[in-house]
Amino acid sequence: MVQRAQTHAPRSPGVTRQLPVFAVIGVLSTVAHLGLFTALRPLLDAQLANLVALLVTAVANTAANRRFTFGVRGTEGAARHQLQGLVAFAAGLALSSGALALAHRTLSDSAHVEIGALIVANGAATVLRFTLLRMWVFRGGGPRTGEGLSSPPVGADRT
C-alpha cells in the first residue's frame, strides 16, 4: 500500500454542511433566548433579563453546535469548548446589550421594541458566533473525510 504525502492541512467539514445545522440550532437558541427574556422581563430590567437568558441559551447552544455542527463527541475538551464559547457569548452579550440600550435611548422600552432590537442583535451575533466557533473553538474538530487522514478529530470518541 502506497502512502501519499499530505501537503496541505486536513480539511474540516465543509461550511455547506455546517451552515444549515448551525442555522437550525441558531433559530432554536434564538427562540429560547427570546422566550426566556420575555418570561424574565416582568421580574428583571431588560439588561439583566437579557444576560440571564443569553447565558442559559449560550451554554446549550455551544453544546449543541459542538455535537451536531462540528461533530465533536465525548467529554474530552468539553470544558474548554464551553469556556471558549463564553467568549462568543460575551460578544453576543455586548451586541444585544448595546442594541437594547440604543433602542431604549432612541425609541422606547416597549416589549416589541426590545424584542426587535434583540432579533437584530442576535442576527449579527450569529455571524460572529459561527466565525468564532468554526475558526477558533472547533478548528480542526469534527469528522473529516479524505485520503491520507489517519488521526481522529480533536475531542472525538476513539472507539
Side-chain angles (χ1 to χ4, degrees), residues 52-132:
V52 172
L54 195 58
L55 182 58
V56 168
T57 56
V59 170
N61 178 285
T62 298
N65 277 306
R66 180 179 194 271
R67 168 68 175 92
F68 298 108
T69 304
F70 299 101
V72 180
R73 294 176 178 84
T75 58
E76 183 181 334
R80 178 178 48 82
H81 292 150
Q82 282 294 341
L83 287 173
Q84 289 173 308
L86 288 177
V87 172
F89 155 78
L93 179 62
L95 287 168
S96 60
S97 296
L100 282 172
L102 182 63
H104 289 159
R105 181 171 216 135
T106 60
L107 299 170
S108 75
D109 62 353
S110 78
H112 290 101
V113 169
E114 289 177 348
I115 295 298
L118 289 175
I119 289 171
V120 170
N122 278 334
T126 296
V127 173
L128 178 59
R129 183 170 183 77
F130 182 74
T131 303
L132 285 172

